[in-house]
Every structure is written in C-alpha cells, then in structure tokens.
Amino acid sequence: REKLSENSEITLTKLALAPRFLFGGIAASLTYVAYTAMEPILAQRLVDFNLSKMEIGLFFAICPMFYITASMLVQYIPKFIERRVTIAVASILNMIFFLLVGPSQIMRLPDSLILMAVGQALVGCSLPLMMIPTLSEMIDSQLIKYPKHSE
C-alpha cells in the first residue's frame, strides 16, 4: 500500500485503483445500463402483445414509478447493513428480476404481460438500492485516505 501524506493529491488513477471506489463506480454504471438497456428491445416486444402506443408508454412508466417510490424508502435501510452488501444483493436481485421482464425462455417462464409488468416493477425497486448507496460508499472509502480533503 502506498503511504499517503497530508498533502497527497487525489488523482483519477488513485481512485480507480481503490477497490471500494471502483466497486461503487461499477455498481453505478450497471444501474445506468440496466435502466436504459431494455427500452429499445422492450418496445418491440410489447408490440407483440398488440398494445397501443399509449399502453406501451404506460408500461414504460411502471419502472420509474417504482424507482421513485423505492428511492424514498432507501433511507430506511438499517444502518447496520453495510452499503456494499445492499449494492451487491440489489445487483443479484436485479439480474433475477430482468429474467421476468423478458420473460426468459431459458427459464421456461410463460409469455405473460403481467409477468413482464411485475418484472418492471421489481427492477424499479432494485435500481435505487444499487444507485443511492453508491455515492456515499465511494466518498466514505476515500475519506479515510484523504481526511484533509473532507473539509
């Protein structure tokens, strides 16, 4: 480990090499990918169910509605649960929930609009658990190394 002096400069390289900081950055990136990646594919998939443009638009509102609600509830996660655990568990759950959005043919899930809507709602609930704790995790991981810069 590198010895850091009181006047040590914070660089992007030093941040990128810090495991907790890197973990937070990757988690945030996965959140953005998860939130935006399904839209182009899902719109075409919903056409298969003969939904109108209005119904497709409303279907896309499911995830953000649950995202907003879950974002307000994240603050009530008990403090004894480490943020890294919250982020990791939410990431795993998000992967499972995305199987419902498809729905996954590999998992032999039925081709159901209801199942897809439930998947959208669950993804909306898991994304804030991945995103919101990330910034404070990244900041706290570096405050130990650079206490002078926390003022």
Side-chain angles (χ1 to χ4, degrees), residues 12 16 41-42 45 49 52 65 74 79 81-82 91 120 124-125 128 136:
L12 288 176
I41 299 165
L42 188 59
R45 181 76 177 95
F49 288 96
S52 69
M65 286 188 315
V74 169
K79 300 295 182 212
I81 300 174
E82 288 192 41
S91 298
Q120 281 281 92
C125 289
S136 57

Side-chain angles (χ1 to χ4, degrees), residues 23-63:
F23 174 76
I26 291 171
S29 299
L30 286 175
T31 303
Y32 288 120
V33 167
Y35 194 72
T36 60
M38 78 173 113
E39 290 182 14
I41 299 165
L42 188 59
Q44 292 299 318
R45 181 76 177 95
L46 293 173
V47 170
D48 295 343
F49 288 96
N50 296 321
L51 297 180
S52 69
K53 290 181 181 181
M54 174 65 100
E55 292 168 329
I56 290 173
L58 290 172
F59 193 90
F60 274 105
I62 295 171
C63 187

